[in-house]
Amino acid sequence: MPKKRSIIALLLVSALLLILCCVESTRLFLNTDRKFEAFSNDLFCQEVSGNTITLHYTLQNPSNYGIDNPEISLGGYPVSSMEINAATENCLALLQAIPYQELNADNQTTYRVLEDSLQQTLDSAPYILYDEPLSPLTGTQAQLPVLLSEYQFYRAADVDTYLELLQALPEHFDSLIDFEQAKSDAGLFMASYTADAIIKECNTFLNMGSSNYLYSSFEDRIEKLEDCDDAAKDSYISQNEKALKEFVFPSYQKLISALTRLRETGKNPNGLCHLPDGASYYEYLVKRETGSERTIEELETLTKNQMREDLLIMQNVLTSPEYETLAETSGTPLPDFALQDSNPAAILIDLKGKLGDNFPAIPNVDTEVKYVQPEMEEYLSPAFYMVPAIDSTDSQTIYINSGHIPDDLDLYTTLAHEGYPGHLYQNVYYASTNPAPIRSLLGCGGYTEGWATYTEMMSYYFTSLPSEQASLLQHNASVLLGLYALADMGIHYEGWTLLDTVSFFHEYGISDTDVIEDIYDLIIADPANYLKYYVGYLEFLELKKEAINQWGEDFTQKRFHKAVLEAGTMPFYLLRETVLEK
């Protein structure tokens, strides 16, 4: 799906003003908190209704929020920022007309996060054609089939909506192709090898034929429907098969044709800084994706300092008497880690039991672990967590990509990242605080992925490994992420070529040129993606240091984690103030 530029990226000025005019007369008698809540809820309903998949994934029962009979749409990809800017400026003005100081603490937090999101939208105006909705692992072509396969059928009407969505896919892909054409016309089209990777991925999706998971997942979901008899279910299955063949697969074929036609029009096979204003765009992108207000130079210094600390700790472990004794006893410097029970459900139970006194309790939820279809393993992330609707958090879903999980330790730490105490835990805890609905649309990648990485690093110490081995492996993982982060900044801000990147990794003993080229290609295709994880992780470490200094003897892990979790996802320059006030 389109990468969200902001909370109101696709709002039309006329629609926004109509809503605001309709409700303004009813707000005159409201106190400031109620006025702000009405304003933010109106904005939430308008935004979430603009894309049917967003609406369905956000709300199980839209009518409970006053959303009835919304238009069925997959949204589009605007090539001009004029309408977006006008809507954003009007919305920001209306927001800032609400007296901030008169709001309660929770509403003040929501106000600041919303204001920041609106300002980011205005900041993005010069760079609308720099964004890239297509990338090998996280692009529309990769995400959309998964979103469709997980589109839940709560009632028969949901199936009707889903089938209409499939019919809307050609129009959505036409908008996507128009956007890529506009990028090409502006000299901003992707590198030819990135286009080739996406074309290959699309072909793989099409070549699955009758084994495509959009057939099987549909049948699985239909089977669970209680308000459909067998005849109706059979009819729906036939309609789905017809829609896939007439609308979905041809849309992917049309995208392949468009990318094949445009693949040679890309003028830059290297990082963003080689494009006009590319360095400035990268600065904006890093701030948007990480939520950090630090400059690129400051982030590079922070990364190098952390890597230096990690390497020193590893050296100290390797030369410690305890580790030498351990290595002699086991007969190997680093014994393999093996789980007694490698079933993901058992691992999640084990991880949840390790939270102990360091994390606040959360409500119990049912979690299903699914596996990526083998044909698509090459093209999807190692694992991903499906965020549930905000009014239905009892059931959770995690996907595992077996093709990217080489051993038991990787499986264990990956499930910590996606499950406990990572994404699933963070999402369930925050949902239990009953936040304002609009907060579900105001995400910050640096917070969400930074938290998951921070807790993933902690999970090494949850294993049965001796503390020396756990420390060695954890800090080694941190160093590797640091290398990827430095490469991201080097390629997109410093102007590294592939040769420069190979030389950089060689300095750290990584000499497999094919592996380095794969890393280079991924970073080119998805700038700042690695920074969400690593910079987010470092910002949590820095924030913890500040909390320790400020709270002194009153600092505990549980207090810090509780403050972070209750604040919810937001940029770190807002999170710092929110957490340290607690």
Side-chain angles (χ1 to χ4, degrees):
M1 301 310 297
K3 292 183 179 178
K4 279 189 174 291
R5 295 185 177 87
S6 76
I7 174 64
I8 59 161
L10 301 179
L11 279 179
L12 295 178
V13 181
S14 57
L16 178 61
L17 292 179
L18 176 62
I19 286 181
L20 294 173
C21 289
C22 288
V23 302
E24 191 61 31
S25 60
T26 67
R27 291 181 179 168
L28 295 177
F29 66 94
L30 300 177
N31 65 29
T32 304
D33 280 309
R34 292 180 63 194
K35 181 188 294 186
F36 172 74
E37 289 161 9
F39 169 77
S40 65
N41 287 338
D42 291 338
L43 192 57
F44 166 78
C45 292
Q46 175 66 14
E47 168 63 11
V48 82
S49 300
N51 183 305
T52 304
I53 287 184
T54 300
L55 175 61
H56 193 70
Y57 270 84
T58 305
L59 296 173
Q60 179 176 329
N61 297 293
S63 59
N64 292 346
Y65 292 76
I67 302 174
D68 296 302
N69 302 315
E71 179 184 355
I72 296 175
S73 170
L74 283 164
Y77 301 83
V79 298
S80 169
S81 60
M82 291 181 61
E83 287 184 342
I84 295 173
N85 281 349
T88 305
E89 289 169 355
N90 279 305
C91 190
L92 188 58
L94 288 165
L95 173 66
Q96 292 175 338
I98 298 173
Y100 171 82
Q101 296 298 336
E102 296 179 14
L103 297 173
N104 64 38
D106 287 343
N107 282 336
Q108 284 187 345
T109 298
T110 302
Y111 181 108
R112 288 188 296 169
V113 178
L114 176 56
E115 183 180 43
D116 181 78
S117 178
L118 293 169
Q119 186 58 55
Q120 280 193 34
T121 300
L122 294 177
D123 293 342
S124 74
Y127 309 116
I128 192 165
L129 291 177
Y130 285 74
D131 265 356
E132 182 52 78
L134 298 173
S135 61
L137 290 179
T138 61
T140 296
Q141 83 294 336
Q143 292 183 4
L144 185 57
V146 176
L147 292 172
L148 291 173
S149 71
E150 283 295 319
Y151 189 102
Q152 296 303 305
F153 300 152
Y154 304 111
R155 54 193 75 85
D158 293 329
V159 187
D160 296 322
T161 299
Y162 176 86
L163 293 171
E164 286 192 56
L165 269 180
L166 298 189
Q167 296 178 44
L169 205 63
E171 181 181 358
H172 179 74
F173 270 54
D174 284 345
S175 175
L176 173 58
I177 291 168
D178 288 344
F179 183 80
E180 293 298 333
Q181 181 65 60
K183 285 175 66 72
S184 176
D185 294 342
L188 300 173
F189 191 69
M190 68 185 74
S192 60
Y193 55 84
T194 301
D196 290 341
I198 295 168
I199 290 169
K200 180 183 176 184
E201 180 180 342
C202 291
N203 275 318
T204 300
F205 174 74
L206 293 177
N207 290 338
M208 283 190 283
S210 60
S211 66
N212 192 295
Y213 55 92
L214 290 183
Y215 289 115
S216 57
S217 65
F218 184 88
E219 293 178 14
D220 290 342
R221 285 171 286 159
I222 281 288
E223 188 59 34
K224 298 174 183 177
L225 269 181
E226 297 180 355
D227 61 344
C228 270
D229 58 27
D230 289 343
K233 291 177 180 178
D234 289 341
S235 174
Y236 276 139
I237 290 172
S238 296
Q239 291 178 60
N240 179 61
E241 292 176 354
K242 185 172 184 289
L244 290 175
K245 293 174 182 176
E246 291 187 4
F247 304 110
V248 178
F249 300 149
S251 295
Y252 271 81
Q253 188 59 60
K254 190 172 183 179
L255 179 61
I256 290 170
S257 299
L259 293 178
T260 301
R261 173 174 50 84
L262 295 172
R263 66 178 297 279
E264 294 292 348
T265 66
K267 301 182 184 302
N268 175 36
N270 297 308
L272 290 173
C273 62
H274 294 278
L275 295 172
D277 298 321
S280 296
Y281 169 65
Y282 185 66
E283 290 174 331
Y284 157 77
L285 184 66
V286 169
K287 182 179 180 181
R288 185 186 81 186
E289 294 299 302
T290 68
S292 174
E293 61 185 343
R294 302 177 200 267
T295 66
I296 305 299
E297 291 81 2
E298 288 171 338
L299 290 176
E300 288 174 330
T301 299
L302 186 65
T303 299
K304 291 173 182 176
N305 288 342
Q306 181 63 46
M307 288 176 61
R308 191 177 299 112
E309 180 181 330
D310 288 328
L311 291 168
L312 180 60
I313 292 173
M314 291 173 67
Q315 182 181 11
N316 290 338
V317 169
L318 287 169
T319 57
S320 67
E322 294 82 3
Y323 185 79
E324 291 177 2
T325 301
L326 184 65
E328 290 174 4
T329 303
S330 62
T332 176
L334 201 60
D336 290 334
F337 171 76
L339 289 162
Q340 290 185 339
D341 188 347
S342 59
N343 184 304
I347 296 172
L348 288 171
I349 291 172
D350 179 74
L351 284 164
K352 187 177 181 182
K354 298 290 176 60
L355 302 183
D357 295 330
N358 291 327
F359 295 87
I362 63 168
N364 290 322
V365 293
D366 294 324
T367 305
E368 182 178 8
V369 177
K370 299 182 179 181
Y371 290 87
V372 170
Q373 193 161 349
E375 292 88 343
M376 297 304 294
E377 287 178 352
E378 180 183 350
Y379 306 107
L380 293 174
S381 300
F384 46 94
Y385 165 68
M386 304 294 295
V387 180
I390 63 175
D391 56 345
S392 179
T393 58
D394 292 339
S395 297
Q396 307 283 325
T397 301
I398 293 172
Y399 267 89
I400 296 293
N401 185 343
S402 297
H404 289 268
I405 307 291
D407 53 44
D408 280 4
L409 182 61
D410 218 45
L411 177 61
Y412 191 88
T413 56
T414 295
L415 284 170
H417 183 110
E418 305 298 339
Y420 298 98
H423 288 311
L424 183 153
Y425 171 84
Q426 181 266 318
N427 189 79
V428 171
Y429 184 91
Y430 187 60
S432 72
T433 67
N434 194 32
I438 201 166
R439 289 295 303 275
S440 66
L441 303 180
L442 299 173
C444 172
Y447 177 103
T448 55
E449 296 301 347
W451 169 264
T453 303
Y454 165 80
T455 57
E456 177 186 340
M457 294 299 169
M458 297 181 70
S459 73
Y460 284 89
Y461 304 96
F462 297 164
T463 68
S464 59
L465 288 169
S467 59
E468 294 83 8
Q469 290 178 12
S471 176
L472 193 64
L473 290 164
Q474 181 263 303
H475 290 287
N476 183 66
S478 178
V479 169
L480 287 174
L481 279 178
L483 291 176
Y484 296 151
L486 285 178
D488 196 302
M489 292 182 278
I491 290 166
H492 290 294
Y493 195 73
E494 306 292 347
W496 293 0
T497 62
L498 175 58
L499 183 60
D500 296 324
T501 307
V502 169
S503 298
F504 167 74
F505 279 102
H506 278 189
E507 292 176 8
Y508 289 88
I510 300 173
S511 57
D512 189 325
T513 303
D514 290 339
V515 170
I516 298 170
E517 186 170 358
D518 287 343
I519 295 171
Y520 182 83
D521 291 349
L522 284 173
I523 290 174
I524 287 289
D526 208 351
N529 184 51
Y530 282 117
L531 298 190
K532 287 187 296 188
Y533 298 80
Y534 189 72
V535 170
Y537 163 57
L538 295 191
E539 287 287 3
F540 274 116
L541 294 182
E542 293 300 303
L543 180 57
K544 179 183 277 190
K545 292 174 186 175
E546 291 184 53
I548 291 171
N549 289 334
Q550 181 166 316
W551 298 344
E553 294 182 355
D554 292 329
F555 175 88
T556 65
Q557 293 271 20
K558 186 174 183 178
R559 179 185 176 186
F560 174 71
H561 294 153
K562 188 171 186 289
V564 165
L565 291 163
E566 288 182 348
T569 175
M570 64 176 69
F572 286 98
Y573 42 87
L574 298 179
L575 184 66
R576 184 174 295 107
E577 299 173 19
T578 305
V579 166
L580 296 180
E581 289 173 358
K582 293 196 177 286

